[in-house]
PDB file of all heavy atoms in Angstrom:
ATOM      1  N   LYS A 274    -154.340 -92.293 -18.200  1.00  0.00           N
ATOM      2  CA  LYS A 274    -154.015 -91.807 -16.852  1.00  0.00           C
ATOM      3  C   LYS A 274    -154.298 -92.877 -15.791  1.00  0.00           C
ATOM      4  O   LYS A 274    -153.543 -93.019 -14.824  1.00  0.00           O
ATOM      5  CB  LYS A 274    -154.806 -90.533 -16.553  1.00  0.00           C
ATOM      6  CG  LYS A 274    -154.357 -89.333 -17.383  1.00  0.00           C
ATOM      7  CD  LYS A 274    -155.242 -88.123 -17.108  1.00  0.00           C
ATOM      8  CE  LYS A 274    -154.846 -86.948 -17.969  1.00  0.00           C
ATOM      9  NZ  LYS A 274    -155.726 -85.768 -17.770  1.00  0.00           N
ATOM     10  N   THR A 275    -155.382 -93.623 -15.981  1.00  0.00           N
ATOM     11  CA  THR A 275    -155.672 -94.716 -15.059  1.00  0.00           C
ATOM     12  C   THR A 275    -154.525 -95.729 -15.064  1.00  0.00           C
ATOM     13  O   THR A 275    -154.094 -96.219 -14.015  1.00  0.00           O
ATOM     14  CB  THR A 275    -156.993 -95.403 -15.444  1.00  0.00           C
ATOM     15  OG1 THR A 275    -158.075 -94.509 -15.181  1.00  0.00           O
ATOM     16  CG2 THR A 275    -157.211 -96.684 -14.649  1.00  0.00           C
ATOM     17  N   GLY A 276    -154.025 -96.046 -16.252  1.00  0.00           N
ATOM     18  CA  GLY A 276    -152.889 -96.962 -16.339  1.00  0.00           C
ATOM     19  C   GLY A 276    -151.634 -96.401 -15.711  1.00  0.00           C
ATOM     20  O   GLY A 276    -150.885 -97.118 -15.021  1.00  0.00           O
ATOM     21  N   PHE A 277    -151.374 -95.102 -15.916  1.00  0.00           N
ATOM     22  CA  PHE A 277    -150.187 -94.484 -15.316  1.00  0.00           C
ATOM     23  C   PHE A 277    -150.243 -94.546 -13.792  1.00  0.00           C
ATOM     24  O   PHE A 277    -149.222 -94.724 -13.135  1.00  0.00           O
ATOM     25  CB  PHE A 277    -150.071 -93.023 -15.764  1.00  0.00           C
ATOM     26  CG  PHE A 277    -149.828 -92.840 -17.242  1.00  0.00           C
ATOM     27  CD1 PHE A 277    -150.276 -91.692 -17.892  1.00  0.00           C
ATOM     28  CD2 PHE A 277    -149.160 -93.801 -17.984  1.00  0.00           C
ATOM     29  CE1 PHE A 277    -150.057 -91.511 -19.247  1.00  0.00           C
ATOM     30  CE2 PHE A 277    -148.936 -93.635 -19.345  1.00  0.00           C
ATOM     31  CZ  PHE A 277    -149.386 -92.479 -19.974  1.00  0.00           C
ATOM     32  N   ARG A 278    -151.447 -94.374 -13.239  1.00  0.00           N
ATOM     33  CA  ARG A 278    -151.580 -94.410 -11.781  1.00  0.00           C
ATOM     34  C   ARG A 278    -151.322 -95.806 -11.201  1.00  0.00           C
ATOM     35  O   ARG A 278    -151.041 -95.952 -10.025  1.00  0.00           O
ATOM     36  CB  ARG A 278    -152.984 -93.971 -11.363  1.00  0.00           C
ATOM     37  CG  ARG A 278    -153.274 -92.493 -11.569  1.00  0.00           C
ATOM     38  CD  ARG A 278    -154.577 -92.108 -10.882  1.00  0.00           C
ATOM     39  NE  ARG A 278    -154.929 -90.728 -11.212  1.00  0.00           N
ATOM     40  CZ  ARG A 278    -155.744 -90.383 -12.195  1.00  0.00           C
ATOM     41  NH1 ARG A 278    -156.309 -91.319 -12.948  1.00  0.00           N
ATOM     42  NH2 ARG A 278    -156.016 -89.116 -12.437  1.00  0.00           N
ATOM     43  N   SER A 279    -151.452 -96.823 -12.050  1.00  0.00           N
ATOM     44  CA  SER A 279    -151.386 -98.196 -11.551  1.00  0.00           C
ATOM     45  C   SER A 279    -149.969 -98.731 -11.426  1.00  0.00           C
ATOM     46  O   SER A 279    -149.772 -99.849 -10.965  1.00  0.00           O
ATOM     47  CB  SER A 279    -152.176 -99.120 -12.485  1.00  0.00           C
ATOM     48  OG  SER A 279    -151.480 -99.311 -13.722  1.00  0.00           O
ATOM     49  N   THR A 280    -148.968 -97.953 -11.836  1.00  0.00           N
ATOM     50  CA  THR A 280    -147.612 -98.492 -11.865  1.00  0.00           C
ATOM     51  C   THR A 280    -146.587 -97.429 -11.535  1.00  0.00           C
ATOM     52  O   THR A 280    -146.861 -96.216 -11.635  1.00  0.00           O
ATOM     53  CB  THR A 280    -147.298 -99.073 -13.260  1.00  0.00           C
ATOM     54  OG1 THR A 280    -146.008 -99.693 -13.248  1.00  0.00           O
ATOM     55  CG2 THR A 280    -147.313 -97.982 -14.326  1.00  0.00           C
ATOM     56  N   ARG A 281    -145.393 -97.891 -11.168  1.00  0.00           N
ATOM     57  CA  ARG A 281    -144.246 -97.005 -11.006  1.00  0.00           C
ATOM     58  C   ARG A 281    -143.119 -97.426 -11.935  1.00  0.00           C
ATOM     59  O   ARG A 281    -141.982 -97.001 -11.769  1.00  0.00           O
ATOM     60  CB  ARG A 281    -143.762 -97.023  -9.552  1.00  0.00           C
ATOM     61  CG  ARG A 281    -144.774 -96.444  -8.575  1.00  0.00           C
ATOM     62  CD  ARG A 281    -144.237 -96.439  -7.158  1.00  0.00           C
ATOM     63  NE  ARG A 281    -145.195 -95.862  -6.218  1.00  0.00           N
ATOM     64  CZ  ARG A 281    -145.005 -95.750  -4.916  1.00  0.00           C
ATOM     65  NH1 ARG A 281    -143.860 -96.188  -4.377  1.00  0.00           N
ATOM     66  NH2 ARG A 281    -145.919 -95.224  -4.144  1.00  0.00           N
ATOM     67  N   GLU A 282    -143.450 -98.259 -12.897  1.00  0.00           N
ATOM     68  CA  GLU A 282    -142.463 -98.748 -13.856  1.00  0.00           C
ATOM     69  C   GLU A 282    -142.504 -97.924 -15.148  1.00  0.00           C
ATOM     70  O   GLU A 282    -143.423 -97.120 -15.364  1.00  0.00           O
ATOM     71  CB  GLU A 282    -142.745-100.211 -14.194  1.00  0.00           C
ATOM     72  CG  GLU A 282    -142.707-101.170 -13.016  1.00  0.00           C
ATOM     73  CD  GLU A 282    -142.962-102.599 -13.458  1.00  0.00           C
ATOM     74  OE1 GLU A 282    -142.318-103.043 -14.432  1.00  0.00           O
ATOM     75  OE2 GLU A 282    -143.816-103.265 -12.850  1.00  0.00           O
ATOM     76  N   ASP A 283    -141.508 -98.148 -16.017  1.00  0.00           N
ATOM     77  CA  ASP A 283    -141.565 -97.600 -17.360  1.00  0.00           C
ATOM     78  C   ASP A 283    -142.808 -98.138 -18.061  1.00  0.00           C
ATOM     79  O   ASP A 283    -143.242 -99.276 -17.792  1.00  0.00           O
ATOM     80  CB  ASP A 283    -140.325 -98.000 -18.164  1.00  0.00           C
ATOM     81  CG  ASP A 283    -139.042 -97.439 -17.576  1.00  0.00           C
ATOM     82  OD1 ASP A 283    -139.113 -96.489 -16.784  1.00  0.00           O
ATOM     83  OD2 ASP A 283    -137.960 -97.979 -17.911  1.00  0.00           O
ATOM     84  N   VAL A 284    -143.366 -97.343 -18.965  1.00  0.00           N
ATOM     85  CA  VAL A 284    -144.619 -97.717 -19.628  1.00  0.00           C
ATOM     86  C   VAL A 284    -144.483 -97.535 -21.138  1.00  0.00           C
ATOM     87  O   VAL A 284    -143.932 -96.534 -21.609  1.00  0.00           O
ATOM     88  CB  VAL A 284    -145.798 -96.852 -19.121  1.00  0.00           C
ATOM     89  CG1 VAL A 284    -147.072 -97.149 -19.908  1.00  0.00           C
ATOM     90  CG2 VAL A 284    -146.030 -97.085 -17.640  1.00  0.00           C
ATOM     91  N   VAL A 285    -145.004 -98.508 -21.884  1.00  0.00           N
ATOM     92  CA  VAL A 285    -145.184 -98.348 -23.323  1.00  0.00           C
ATOM     93  C   VAL A 285    -146.678 -98.415 -23.606  1.00  0.00           C
ATOM     94  O   VAL A 285    -147.336 -99.399 -23.246  1.00  0.00           O
ATOM     95  CB  VAL A 285    -144.440 -99.426 -24.134  1.00  0.00           C
ATOM     96  CG1 VAL A 285    -144.809 -99.319 -25.624  1.00  0.00           C
ATOM     97  CG2 VAL A 285    -142.943 -99.277 -23.975  1.00  0.00           C
ATOM     98  N   CYS A 286    -147.228 -97.365 -24.210  1.00  0.00           N
ATOM     99  CA  CYS A 286    -148.648 -97.315 -24.545  1.00  0.00           C
ATOM    100  C   CYS A 286    -148.844 -97.821 -25.971  1.00  0.00           C
ATOM    101  O   CYS A 286    -148.124 -97.413 -26.889  1.00  0.00           O
ATOM    102  CB  CYS A 286    -149.171 -95.890 -24.444  1.00  0.00           C
ATOM    103  SG  CYS A 286    -148.888 -95.119 -22.844  1.00  0.00           S
ATOM    104  N   ALA A 287    -149.816 -98.711 -26.160  1.00  0.00           N
ATOM    105  CA  ALA A 287    -150.115 -99.254 -27.485  1.00  0.00           C
ATOM    106  C   ALA A 287    -151.619 -99.266 -27.687  1.00  0.00           C
ATOM    107  O   ALA A 287    -152.396 -99.212 -26.731  1.00  0.00           O
ATOM    108  CB  ALA A 287    -149.544-100.667 -27.630  1.00  0.00           C
ATOM    109  N   ASP A 288    -152.044 -99.334 -28.946  1.00  0.00           N
ATOM    110  CA  ASP A 288    -153.468 -99.350 -29.272  1.00  0.00           C
ATOM    111  C   ASP A 288    -153.989-100.777 -29.313  1.00  0.00           C
ATOM    112  O   ASP A 288    -153.230-101.735 -29.548  1.00  0.00           O
ATOM    113  CB  ASP A 288    -153.724 -98.663 -30.615  1.00  0.00           C
ATOM    114  CG  ASP A 288    -153.474 -97.162 -30.540  1.00  0.00           C
ATOM    115  OD1 ASP A 288    -153.499 -96.617 -29.423  1.00  0.00           O
ATOM    116  OD2 ASP A 288    -153.255 -96.537 -31.599  1.00  0.00           O
ATOM    117  N   ALA A 289    -155.309-100.917 -29.135  1.00  0.00           N
ATOM    118  CA  ALA A 289    -155.934-102.240 -29.031  1.00  0.00           C
ATOM    119  C   ALA A 289    -156.462-102.769 -30.354  1.00  0.00           C
ATOM    120  O   ALA A 289    -157.009-103.867 -30.404  1.00  0.00           O
ATOM    121  CB  ALA A 289    -157.093-102.169 -28.022  1.00  0.00           C
ATOM    122  N   ASP A 290    -156.283-102.012 -31.447  1.00  0.00           N
ATOM    123  CA  ASP A 290    -156.955-102.363 -32.708  1.00  0.00           C
ATOM    124  C   ASP A 290    -156.077-103.107 -33.702  1.00  0.00           C
ATOM    125  O   ASP A 290    -156.422-103.231 -34.878  1.00  0.00           O
ATOM    126  CB  ASP A 290    -157.517-101.109 -33.370  1.00  0.00           C
ATOM    127  CG  ASP A 290    -156.441-100.042 -33.613  1.00  0.00           C
ATOM    128  OD1 ASP A 290    -155.250-100.331 -33.364  1.00  0.00           O
ATOM    129  OD2 ASP A 290    -156.803 -98.933 -34.036  1.00  0.00           O
ATOM    130  N   GLY A 291    -154.923-103.603 -33.270  1.00  0.00           N
ATOM    131  CA  GLY A 291    -154.082-104.395 -34.159  1.00  0.00           C
ATOM    132  C   GLY A 291    -153.119-103.601 -35.012  1.00  0.00           C
ATOM    133  O   GLY A 291    -152.423-104.177 -35.861  1.00  0.00           O
ATOM    134  N   GLN A 292    -153.023-102.279 -34.809  1.00  0.00           N
ATOM    135  CA  GLN A 292    -152.132-101.462 -35.634  1.00  0.00           C
ATOM    136  C   GLN A 292    -150.680-101.520 -35.174  1.00  0.00           C
ATOM    137  O   GLN A 292    -149.794-101.088 -35.914  1.00  0.00           O
ATOM    138  CB  GLN A 292    -152.607-100.011 -35.644  1.00  0.00           C
ATOM    139  CG  GLN A 292    -153.920 -99.796 -36.368  1.00  0.00           C
ATOM    140  CD  GLN A 292    -154.200 -98.323 -36.611  1.00  0.00           C
ATOM    141  OE1 GLN A 292    -153.307 -97.553 -36.919  1.00  0.00           O
ATOM    142  NE2 GLN A 292    -155.448 -97.940 -36.477  1.00  0.00           N
ATOM    143  N   HIS A 293    -150.444-102.024 -33.979  1.00  0.00           N
ATOM    144  CA  HIS A 293    -149.075-102.085 -33.478  1.00  0.00           C
ATOM    145  C   HIS A 293    -148.641-103.533 -33.344  1.00  0.00           C
ATOM    146  O   HIS A 293    -149.258-104.322 -32.618  1.00  0.00           O
ATOM    147  CB  HIS A 293    -148.984-101.370 -32.125  1.00  0.00           C
ATOM    148  CG  HIS A 293    -149.325 -99.913 -32.201  1.00  0.00           C
ATOM    149  ND1 HIS A 293    -150.029 -99.265 -31.211  1.00  0.00           N
ATOM    150  CD2 HIS A 293    -149.086 -98.998 -33.165  1.00  0.00           C
ATOM    151  CE1 HIS A 293    -150.186 -97.999 -31.562  1.00  0.00           C
ATOM    152  NE2 HIS A 293    -149.623 -97.818 -32.742  1.00  0.00           N
ATOM    153  N   ARG A 294    -147.572-103.887 -34.038  1.00  0.00           N
ATOM    154  CA  ARG A 294    -147.047-105.246 -33.985  1.00  0.00           C
ATOM    155  C   ARG A 294    -146.277-105.471 -32.686  1.00  0.00           C
ATOM    156  O   ARG A 294    -145.703-104.532 -32.127  1.00  0.00           O
ATOM    157  CB  ARG A 294    -146.128-105.494 -35.175  1.00  0.00           C
ATOM    158  CG  ARG A 294    -146.752-105.220 -36.535  1.00  0.00           C
ATOM    159  CD  ARG A 294    -145.777-105.553 -37.652  1.00  0.00           C
ATOM    160  NE  ARG A 294    -144.498-104.871 -37.469  1.00  0.00           N
ATOM    161  CZ  ARG A 294    -143.417-105.095 -38.212  1.00  0.00           C
ATOM    162  NH1 ARG A 294    -143.475-105.993 -39.182  1.00  0.00           N
ATOM    163  NH2 ARG A 294    -142.299-104.436 -37.974  1.00  0.00           N
TER     164      ARG A 294
END
Side-chain angles (χ1 to χ4, degrees):
K274 291 176 183 178
T275 291
F277 295 151
R278 290 191 187 95
S279 72
T280 185
R281 294 182 179 179
E282 300 181 49
D283 297 342
V284 174
V285 173
C286 305
D288 291 339
D290 56 6
Q292 292 192 39
H293 298 142
R294 305 182 307 172

